[in-house]
Amino acid sequence: DGGKVRLPQNDGLAERMRKRNLEFELRYGAHGHTARAMEKLSERQEELLRVVVSCGMYPNLALPHEKNKERAASDCVFHTRQVPFVNLHPSSSMFAEAATALSPWEGFAFGSILQTHLPFLLHVTRCPVLPVVLLGAAVVDTSPDCRMLIADEWLQLTFEDAEDCLDALEQAYLLRISIQRSLDDQVAQLFEADCEDDVEGEFAEATLPKPPPSAPLRLRQLARRSPKRCRGADLEARMLSFW
């Protein structure tokens, strides 16, 4: 009817957002970390990313019920620290093979649990249980014969051979030290930290957490030797080997 159309008033919101996007692009667009994030990942990088994501999700770890292989996908249940029995959400890409997707030593790292008429796992990724637990747990207790581990007073892991248990603990201890130091270095480089009160390497080495007196003798001896730090490709290779 010849009426006029009034445009919504945004009080300059679009202009402010345009300026912020421009500032962000000028500040970070040519940054090395931003450029690398846009590159296609290699198979090795994808596996390393899976390691990081799975360990980062801990303690969100779901273990399959021993009877799952005999059940339909909709009836498969998993055990978590938060909820004793939980199902895999039907929208998951793993749902169709929920009964057979996991080997005896694997579980699902998950993002969250959705509670509806049933609790459902969301955003799952398959992962080996032992590496995730040993790299992510806050407390790991061992039995006197080193054939059993209890992680965070929740998950019990048993070994037939005590040497296998000690080997896993030693590898995890060395990796956790190296990962923490590498993360510190990366953060310092990312923010170009150059403070006068930076902590010297020798002091940082002395303040690393040590195994308690109750820990196996082999681990306490390892800590006293100031284990050699892994870096770069060597650290990646050790991580994937442990994985």
Side-chain angles (χ1 to χ4, degrees):
D1 298 329
K4 295 182 179 180
V5 177
R6 296 188 61 185
L7 297 177
Q9 299 294 322
N10 58 17
D11 297 326
L13 177 61
E15 180 65 17
R16 292 200 303 273
M17 291 301 298
R18 188 187 69 80
K19 289 181 178 179
R20 289 180 182 178
N21 289 338
L22 182 59
E23 290 174 359
F24 183 88
E25 183 66 24
L26 290 173
R27 181 173 297 179
Y28 300 110
H31 199 284
H33 291 77
T34 305
R36 287 196 296 271
M38 301 300 293
E39 297 175 358
K40 181 177 176 57
L41 297 178
S42 66
E43 185 176 341
R44 177 187 177 90
Q45 289 172 323
E46 288 181 357
E47 191 65 19
L48 285 168
L49 182 59
R50 188 175 294 111
V51 174
V52 172
V53 170
S54 299
C55 292
M57 286 182 174
Y58 183 86
N60 287 2
L61 186 63
L63 307 178
H65 191 278
E66 59 183 4
K67 299 293 186 181
N68 276 359
K69 293 187 183 297
E70 306 169 8
R71 299 171 174 169
S74 57
D75 297 325
C76 290
V77 295
F78 301 84
H79 309 291
T80 71
R81 184 177 184 178
Q82 300 89 339
V83 181
F85 299 97
V86 61
N87 296 72
L88 187 60
H89 198 276
S91 67
S92 171
S93 61
M94 306 291 291
F95 180 77
E97 50 183 338
T100 58
L102 301 176
S103 65
W105 55 86
E106 289 183 321
F108 282 134
F110 62 92
S112 60
I113 295 177
L114 174 65
Q115 181 66 57
T116 57
H117 64 290
L118 290 172
F120 289 105
L121 296 173
L122 299 179
H123 314 302
V124 302
T125 184
R126 186 170 55 192
C127 65
V129 172
L130 181 62
V132 170
V133 169
L134 292 186
L135 292 175
V139 178
V140 176
D141 296 307
T142 64
S143 61
D145 62 357
C146 287
R147 292 177 183 270
M148 181 179 68
L149 302 177
I150 301 211
D152 294 328
E153 301 181 347
W154 167 63
L155 184 60
Q156 176 180 305
L157 304 170
T158 57
F159 297 78
E160 294 183 359
D161 189 341
E163 286 300 311
D164 290 340
C165 177
L166 287 171
D167 286 342
L169 287 171
E170 181 175 332
Q171 291 182 65
Y173 180 71
L174 293 173
L175 284 172
R176 289 180 72 145
I177 289 176
S178 296
I179 291 170
Q180 185 59 58
R181 292 172 178 166
S182 295
L183 285 173
D184 292 342
D185 289 347
Q186 289 294 320
V187 170
Q189 293 175 20
L190 180 61
F191 291 99
E192 300 177 348
D194 186 18
C195 305
E196 295 180 358
D197 58 348
D198 281 349
V199 179
E200 296 293 334
E202 294 80 8
F203 180 76
E205 185 112 2
T207 58
L208 289 171
K210 304 295 183 182
S214 59
L217 177 61
R218 181 169 156 186
L219 291 183
R220 287 184 277 127
Q221 291 175 336
L222 175 66
R224 286 197 292 268
R225 293 199 302 265
S226 288
K228 182 181 177 181
R229 171 184 175 182
C230 303
R231 299 171 183 264
D234 182 33
L235 176 56
E236 292 179 2
R238 287 175 178 265
M239 280 289 296
L240 293 177
S241 176
F242 186 57
W243 191 251

